[in-house]
Amino acid sequence: MDRICNRLFREDETLAPRTILGAALLAYLIVLLRGWLGWIYYPLVPVMVLALALLTYALLRALLPRLDRTGQGGDPVIVWGTPALFAVAGLHGFGIWFLPAFAGGAALIAWRAPELLELLPRPGRQRRPM
């Protein structure tokens, strides 16, 4: 599993734009053709969930550094609103299968880039001044 992930991710733990586009097209193609695929759709659901997890990872990887209030452009409305809108659009487009994909993307963040999770606000921790 680690060898497969090392081929997908670059040295800086980001995904190549072609990987992101390919994952998006694959997930959309599977959900678009689900009526024609018949029973073959159900074995393809894990592939779709993994592709959506890569998309979620890419989005969270781009947005979590913006949560640092000491840096430039750390607008919390944009940072928290974008994943919320992404989740609503994902649920509308991919149905209930988007929820495990969203959790999978968050798990990939925790596994591949755990330093980004330190930026999340935690209860009991004081906010830094703007």
Side-chain angles (χ1 to χ4, degrees), residues 6-27:
N6 287 338
R7 295 184 90 186
L8 285 175
F9 295 95
R10 296 187 208 166
E11 294 82 26
D12 60 348
E13 297 300 328
T14 59
L15 292 169
R18 288 183 179 194
T19 304
I20 297 169
L21 181 63
L25 288 174
L26 178 65

Side-chain angles (χ1 to χ4, degrees), residues 80-119:
W80 291 107
T82 304
L85 183 61
F86 180 67
V88 168
L91 281 170
H92 180 70
F94 296 99
I96 196 73
W97 301 115
F98 186 75
L99 293 177
F102 201 79
L108 273 174
I109 286 285
W111 179 39
R112 300 296 288 196
E115 68 276 1
L116 292 177
L117 296 178
E118 296 172 5
L119 301 173

Side-chain angles (χ1 to χ4, degrees), residues 39-65:
W39 64 271
I40 299 173
Y41 168 72
Y42 294 105
L44 292 177
V45 166
V47 174
M48 180 179 65
V49 168
L50 287 174
L52 289 172
L54 288 175
L55 291 174
T56 303
Y57 172 83
L59 176 83
L60 293 175
R61 178 88 174 121
L63 289 177
L64 283 176

